[in-house]
Amino acid sequence: MKTLKNGELWYDTQGNVIHAHGGCMLKKDGYYYWYGENRNDDNYISCYRSADLREWEFRRHILTTHSPVSKSRVKASLTLVNEKGGKVNLERPKVLYNAATKKYVLWVHYENGENYREAACAVATCDVPDGDFVYHGHFNPFGYMSRDCTLFQEEDGTAYFISAARDNADLHIYRLQEDYLNIDSLVNRLWQGEYREAPAVFQRNGTYYMLTSFCTGWKPNQGKYGTAESMDGKWSILKEFGDETTFHTQPAFVMPIGSPDNREFLYISDRWDEEDYNHSSYVFLKLTFDAEGGLHLEYDENVPLEGRKGWKEKGIDDGEASGNS
Ligand code: DGJ
């Protein structure tokens, strides 16, 4: 089997380039589902799946300009094309499984395809992880701007939507309602005026970590992270991780890997090509932690998966996980 090299174009099992940018992963029934942006043709978001994080099978374009639409409780525009009939812009899709409703719920950053002034979020749902998602429209949470975003799910099912507000100056944490279809409340505003983007949240040994980038368009910059004892509690001052370009990456997601008593964390990131978006690639790296819980990222040209020391023997059968430990 081939080794995946970080920063190269990766291909699915049909030989097509994988388009899952700004994405996330969800573990369900023995598969990792990888969702991400696909800006080609009528597509918005594509889904791939893999049992080993290396061989990726294309499943479906789960959200396109032709996706079915349906109103939810939130009054929201349901159009998936803009006023000129062109494509809108859907960035950083994140998907959670709601065990109570048995729905897969997707939140994503919405823009009108012309500029970044809508600064909205959008929601879609599906009964299966890789089916045609039903679009429920876009809105501004409590009227706030909402750009780069992520989702985080606690083990008890409580979920949070995190997004950049106030022209990216601040990061907001919103608790979601039980069915994940609307926001319950704004529970935190972080790092005001520090312009953090690309949030990725996970929990390790009871500590919550949020990785972020600075706000420099498609250009990479120094990654920073904060920690907290609860999502709605006090978060630390930001500390640096990786190098001054975070090894030419921007965070997309952190995927917990391995058994609960031997948990490791995979940093899933984009290496954007600002000249040719479709030439953007992925960089997967292992996060490491020091005795004080400090987080570190070192570069490795190889993706740290099965066959690589430290992963094969630990196995990747980690039950179902989506960001927590
Ligand atoms: C940085 C964001 O993280 C990306 O998702 C994208 O919105 C670019 N900015 C656009 O410049």
Side-chain angles (χ1 to χ4, degrees):
M1 283 212 210
K2 64 182 185 299
T3 308
L4 284 181
K5 293 271 188 199
N6 279 321
E8 293 186 351
L9 289 184
W10 295 353
Y11 296 85
D12 65 18
T13 51
Q14 292 174 302
N16 297 312
V17 172
I18 296 176
H19 289 293
H21 309 285
C24 71
M25 283 187 195
L26 181 73
K27 180 88 188 287
K28 193 75 182 139
D29 301 330
Y31 286 105
Y32 295 91
Y33 289 86
W34 186 8
Y35 305 88
E37 300 166 18
N38 182 341
R39 301 191 185 214
N40 297 296
D41 308 316
D42 293 338
N43 307 320
Y44 286 128
I45 298 167
S46 297
C47 175
Y48 302 80
R49 79 174 185 188
S50 172
D52 60 9
L53 288 161
R54 181 165 51 181
E55 298 278 323
W56 291 99
E57 175 195 2
F58 170 75
R59 297 297 291 166
R60 187 178 298 266
H61 302 302
I62 61 159
L63 206 60
T64 72
T65 55
H66 307 300
S67 287
V69 301
S70 161
K71 281 186 187 167
S72 77
R73 295 188 298 280
V74 184
K75 187 177 176 197
S77 165
L78 294 176
T79 54
L80 274 160
V81 291
N82 63 24
E83 285 175 352
K84 295 181 181 167
K87 284 177 77 177
V88 300
N89 195 5
L90 298 183
E91 295 187 346
R92 299 190 170 271
K94 304 289 177 261
V95 180
L96 292 179
Y97 177 64
N98 187 305
T101 63
K102 300 191 169 24
K103 293 272 188 194
Y104 294 82
V105 185
L106 180 154
W107 285 65
V108 64
H109 172 196
Y110 172 98
E111 298 290 355
N112 61 19
E114 300 276 317
N115 52 52
Y116 276 82
R117 287 185 213 130
E118 298 276 346
C121 59
V123 180
T125 58
C126 192
D127 292 333
V128 292
D130 48 4
D132 292 320
F133 275 61
V134 177
Y135 186 66
H136 301 304
H138 75 268
F139 59 92
N140 296 93
F142 293 123
Y144 288 112
M145 297 173 92
S146 179
R147 292 206 180 110
D148 275 19
C149 63
T150 195
L151 291 172
F152 174 75
Q153 187 180 48
E154 305 266 22
E155 278 181 9
D156 70 0
T158 304
Y160 298 88
F161 176 68
I162 297 102
S163 71
R166 199 163 64 94
D167 267 321
N168 301 333
D170 314 331
L171 264 184
H172 283 186
I173 301 181
Y174 303 93
R175 186 183 298 115
L176 296 183
Q177 292 184 339
E178 290 85 334
D179 59 8
Y180 304 169
L181 297 184
N182 196 6
I183 280 165
D184 170 67
S185 53
L186 172 62
V187 300
N188 233 327
R189 298 180 210 219
L190 304 181
W191 306 306
Q192 79 84 33
E194 298 193 34
Y195 289 85
R196 306 312 299 176
E197 285 193 323
V201 179
F202 64 96
Q203 193 193 17
R204 176 183 179 270
N205 296 344
T207 298
Y208 296 79
Y209 291 76
M210 191 184 306
L211 309 190
T212 63
S213 74
F214 187 47
C215 189
T216 51
W218 299 111
K219 292 192 195 313
N221 55 60
Q222 174 73 63
K224 294 187 183 181
Y225 75 98
T227 56
E229 297 310 308
S230 67
M231 289 296 283
D232 56 3
K234 176 175 159 47
W235 283 77
S236 70
I237 289 172
L238 289 166
K239 296 163 230 169
E240 296 182 351
F241 70 94
D243 70 1
E244 67 274 15
T245 64
T246 322
F247 309 116
H248 209 109
T249 72
Q250 191 180 27
F253 197 70
V254 173
M255 188 66 200
I257 305 286
S259 58
D261 58 350
N262 213 347
R263 187 68 89 207
E264 299 203 71
F265 296 87
L266 190 62
Y267 170 77
I268 295 172
S269 69
D270 296 284
R271 181 170 284 173
W272 300 115
D273 184 333
E274 62 179 319
E275 306 297 328
D276 178 2
Y277 174 90
N278 276 326
H279 205 258
S280 299
S281 57
Y282 311 100
V283 173
F284 289 6
L285 297 170
K286 201 165 103 168
L287 290 169
T288 57
F289 301 86
D290 59 36
E292 286 74 46
L295 174 150
H296 303 276
L297 186 70
E298 281 174 21
Y299 196 67
D300 187 335
E301 64 174 4
N302 294 315
V303 168
L305 300 178
E306 189 181 359
R308 301 270 301 147
K309 192 176 178 321
W311 288 83
K312 187 170 186 176
E313 53 268 37
K314 284 170 184 152
I316 56 169
D317 182 16
D318 58 343
E320 290 169 6
S322 58
N324 53 31
S325 64

